[in-house]
Every structure is written in C-alpha cells, then in structure tokens.
Amino acid sequence: MADDNRVLSWRELLSSKFRLATLTLALSIALYATNFFIFATLAPSVVNDIGGLDLMSWATTVFVVTSIVSSAAGGMIKAWLGSRRSLVLSTIVFALGSVITAASPTMEVVLLGRVVQGLGAGLLTAYSHSMVREMFPAASWPRMFAVVSGGWGVAALSGPLIGGIFAEFDIWRWGFGAMAIAACLFIPVSLRAVQPGGGGETGNAWGAVARLSLLGGAALILGGLGKVSLPGGDISLITVSVALLLTAILWERQTIRPLFPRDMFRPATALGGGVIFVFGITFATTPTAIYGPLLFRAIHDIPLITTGYIVTAQSMFWTIAAIVFSNLSRKASRFACIAGTMIVILGVLGTSQFLPRGPLWAAIAGISTIGFGIGLAWGHIGRFVLEAAGEQDKNRVGTVMPTMQVIGIAFGSSVAGLIANANGFDRTLTEGTAEAVAHWIYLGLAPAAVVSLVGAIRVATETRTPIGRSL
C-alpha cells in the first residue's frame, strides 16, 4: 500500500476495502474530541451536584497531563503489544475512566476518572495517527488527516449540544456513561478493522518511564499556574516546567531506546520542522477555545450559547480547508504548508485587532482565518512527517503530532493566562478589561505562529525522498 501513489476518492474510502479503516479512524478521534467538549459543558452540573469547585480546574489539568504522557508512550506500547491490542487497550482504559467519572461521589473521584480517561485518550490520538500511515496509501495521507479534522469539527458542533441535553435534564452522569458505552461499541469495530500481529519488542523501560515522568511533571507544573504559590510566582513554575521539558528532550536525543523518532528533536530535519510547526501553531492559536466565549460575550454582548458556536468557526474552517485541499500534488502540498501557516499569522494578527474593537463580523472572520490556515497546512505537514520516518521509527511516528499538539496547547494556554491576568482578567471583567485581554493574548502569542512558519518552511523544503517513491 505504501507504493500506491494514487489519492483515494471519498467514494473509495467508503468502499468495502477501506470502509472499516476509515470508520475506525474517524471514531477514534470522535471519542476523544466529543469527550473534550462534553466535559466542558457538563462541568457546572458536576459542581452543582457533588461540589468541589476549588478542584474543578484540576479536572482538565490532570486529563491533559496524562494525555501527554500516554500519547508519548504510544509508540513504546505499540511496539510491545502490536497495533490491534494497543488500540483495544486504549479504548478500554478510556471507557473505564468514563465509568469512574460517571459514578463519582466526590470531586476527588472525578479527578481519578479524568486521569484514567486521559491515559486512554492520549493513546487513542497517537494510534489514530499511526493508523493513517499503516492503513492508507501515502498519497492519501492528507485526505485522512482531513478525516481526523472532520472528527474534531463534528465534535465541536455536537459535543456542546449533547452535553447540554444531559445538563438540561440534570443527568450529567449519563453523559459520561454515554461516552463509556460509545467506547465499548468502538471495540468490535476496531477489532474488525485492525489486523492482529506486530508487537513483541522487549527491553528495559525504566529510562522511558523516567523521560515520561519528566514530560508529565512539566505539564503538571504548567497546570499549577494560578493554583499553587511558590516564591517567584508563575514565572518560577514556567521556568521549572521548561527545564524539565528540555531535560527530557536532551535525554531523548541521547538514548538508544527513544520514545519518539530519532529526528524528532533535530530542527534541520523534516520531522524536526514538523515538531516546530505543530508546537508553534497550537501554542499561538489556543486563546480562542479558552477565552473566546467569554471575550465575545463581554465585548460584543452576545448570549453565551451563541458565543460558544461562534468560537467553533475556528474548528469548522479548519475542517473545511482540510477537506477541500486534501487532494493536492506533492508540489502543491509543499506550498500549502507555507501558505497555510502565513494565513494563520494573518488571522492571529487580525483577531488581535478586530476582536477587541469590532466589527463583530471581522472578529469572526479573524478566528475563521486562523482555522482555515491550520486546515490548509496541517494534513500536508502530517504527510511529510509520516514520510520522514524510516522503518525503525514506524511504531513511534504516530506519537509526534498528537504529543506536540497537547504540549503546545499546555504551554500556550499557560502563557495566555499570564498575559490575560496581567491585563486584569483575574479581577473584574469589564468591557475595557476584556478588550485589553483580547488584544494582547493574540498579539502576545503571535510570535509563536511566526516560529511555526520556520518549521513549515523546513518541512516544505526538505529534499529527502521517501523510500520507493519519487518526487
């Protein structure tokens, strides 16, 4: 299949040969993404029922931390168990976490459930990217990344609605129970779609566990911003977090048993460029999901439910661009990597000007432009990242984009929080404060988008030719 240079049509992807594989890929992403949006919608109902408001922010933090750790460990676990058993394991863990959350009598148990959910969700996202490489022709990889984007787009629209229904009838536990049921229904689909085999690799895993601990520690410390007090404040926490992350990266580069592909942290390679792109682009575009609803409401006086769907414009235009531009030639794919990133930069700068000052349509256009640019570039960056991995890294390459995406979100949200609080967000949110926050969080994070352009150029200009293929 790797030698097939033909891009599969959408009809072929739904044919008997690829239907199960396409469905498995879409559902694996939909499970993760829908859970993300449902939890955000149900969180107030959880607090109203069992209390624990002071711990609620940790529910997202521990989920992100364990997602990072399990996503990074995905290649190692896959090498041990093989693709099929690893995918089933991740789904079972996700379902178990959903059941624990649904049955929680206290917020402390909710946190435990979210830890387990995060472990399963991180593995699911890592294996979804591995499935793109293993189950579809190389020329169709951008199209399959469009399927992944489509899963996020559908979840962005349906997740808040589904969660809202459970919240409206005061049955929030059934919302998480529904996620557990959906995960259980996904297992037989994945068993039919993914062939048994693979795995069996053994070796000393203590070094890998230590590096995973460093990654998890870095993410957990970031999650503590605004929640714990240390001498030097939040700057100290960020410094310690960066130090732990750099230690993990330097150790990873030297080890003989890496968690990630060999070239992942080498900026001069296509893999290294892909890492820079994913980290920078997610870092720079995080504010929309976190602050968008509140800022649109405070500045433009829009009902909260309406602002929630306005903010999904970024996700929807990501999905639209990914689908529309999924069938490009190799040369055009390289151009899309750079052009998409430049569009994101324009969108970030435009949003920093129009969200605080209006008009409303221009602010919506700004976040839509961000999403369009990401969608244009993302799948083609993914194509070249997957191609750049050699045979020795085939089990590990699926971890690259999802791991760096979550790390980028973690660091981006933390820096955005510092900028927002410096402009008065942690005090009374007046219209003037909201305008200042809206301007500076996008403008302050814009340099990360410029850094992502450096990575996109590196990927697009990489001259290495995949084995068995020609330019």
Side-chain angles (χ1 to χ4, degrees), residues 124-170:
L124 273 173
T125 55
Y127 296 144
S128 67
H129 285 71
S130 293
M131 279 189 279
V132 170
R133 188 177 194 272
E134 294 176 357
M135 302 174 71
F136 301 95
S140 297
W141 290 345
R143 178 151 289 181
M144 303 324 299
F145 277 107
V147 172
V148 171
S149 300
W152 274 98
V154 171
L157 289 177
S158 62
L161 176 62
I162 296 171
I165 292 172
F166 286 110
E168 180 68 25
F169 289 97
D170 198 24

Side-chain angles (χ1 to χ4, degrees), residues 339-356:
T341 312
M342 295 178 69
I343 290 172
V344 171
I345 295 172
L346 292 176
V348 170
L349 294 176
T351 304
S352 74
Q353 300 302 311
F354 294 120
L355 179 52

Side-chain angles (χ1 to χ4, degrees), residues 99-122:
V99 170
I100 293 173
T101 306
S104 298
T106 65
M107 186 58 68
E108 288 80 2
V109 181
V110 169
L111 297 185
L112 174 61
R114 293 291 282 171
V115 166
V116 179
Q117 263 195 332
L119 290 172

Side-chain angles (χ1 to χ4, degrees), residues 306-325:
T306 304
T307 62
Y309 279 99
I310 285 177
V311 169
T312 63
Q314 184 166 307
S315 295
M316 294 310 301
F317 274 85
W318 179 340
T319 300
I320 291 169
I323 293 173
V324 171
F325 296 100

Side-chain angles (χ1 to χ4, degrees), residues 272-285:
V275 166
I276 294 171
F277 168 84
V278 174
F279 178 82
I281 213 76
T282 52
F283 187 108
T285 59

Side-chain angles (χ1 to χ4, degrees), residues 372-396:
F372 185 89
I374 298 174
L376 175 59
W378 191 273
H380 303 287
I381 293 284
R383 169 187 185 172
F384 294 125
V385 165
L386 293 182
E387 285 182 351
E391 183 66 20
Q392 74 276 13
D393 289 324
K394 64 179 182 180
N395 288 324
R396 305 184 186 99

